[in-house]
Amino acid sequence: DPAPVDPPPGGARLCHAAQQVAQQSVEETRQHSAVTGMGDRKGTSRGWHITRAEGTLTLSRRLPARFDLGVGTVLPQVARPERLAHQVRQDLWRALRDLRGFAPCVRITPQDGQLHLLAGGEVAGAVPRAQAEARIAAVLEDGARRARWLRWAA
């Protein structure tokens, strides 16, 4: 039915068919969020996906998580790996926000009593890979940041 529907205050007028499509999109988003756990975990920012598989935790903006860039490090075990992932992600974003299309990802894998952390992410377009990975390595090797991450995740 293409008849216009009264708009919400401050909203555009939509025909009934467009309104149904918009409602369907909202419902699909709700279902996807329920499946992925997006936004329903304490301490998780809306829009960030936390996936767990075989003990590995991955924090990403988009699914599936993609590591076009990535640098690894090893950290001691922490009580709250989700918080560690968020802290690393924030510092990674601060260091690489000038990369066009950059979406940070962090993967944490417990192994041999330690945490193997892969930090990097997805980049839309060309990127000077060596420079970008050197910047990621500088973030991961910064002693003050590492101490703050471990305190926050303890």
Side-chain angles (χ1 to χ4, degrees):
D1 173 66
V5 177
D6 290 333
R13 293 176 61 96
L14 297 174
C15 70
H16 185 68
Q19 203 173 36
Q20 283 180 327
V21 169
Q23 182 61 34
Q24 183 179 12
S25 176
V26 168
E27 188 57 36
E28 287 173 359
T29 301
R30 282 190 193 127
Q31 290 173 356
H32 180 70
S33 297
V35 170
T36 62
M38 183 175 83
D40 64 352
R41 296 180 195 273
K42 185 176 179 183
T44 302
S45 300
R46 276 189 124 5
W48 290 96
H49 301 279
I50 293 179
T51 55
R52 288 182 171 86
E54 300 173 15
T56 297
L57 176 143
T58 304
L59 174 72
S60 63
R61 187 61 143 172
R62 301 180 188 118
L63 289 178
R66 198 172 88 196
F67 288 87
D68 297 332
L69 302 170
V71 177
T73 191
V74 177
L75 294 167
Q77 288 279 358
V78 295
R80 301 168 88 182
E82 300 89 358
R83 292 184 94 176
L84 173 64
H86 273 288
Q87 288 292 298
V88 173
R89 187 250 331 146
Q90 286 175 348
D91 286 343
L92 194 61
W93 172 249
R94 290 175 186 135
L96 297 173
R97 65 179 162 224
D98 61 334
L99 282 182
R100 184 181 177 111
F102 178 67
C105 296
V106 177
R107 177 170 292 146
I108 299 174
T109 306
Q111 185 178 14
D112 301 327
Q114 298 179 315
L115 297 177
H116 292 257
L117 186 139
L118 176 64
E122 179 179 339
V123 181
V127 62
R129 184 182 187 98
Q131 278 183 323
E133 288 184 342
R135 289 164 64 187
I136 294 170
V139 169
L140 295 178
E141 293 168 6
D142 184 288
R145 285 184 175 133
R146 290 171 73 99
R148 179 174 43 84
W149 299 339
L150 296 174
R151 275 193 316 271
W152 184 249

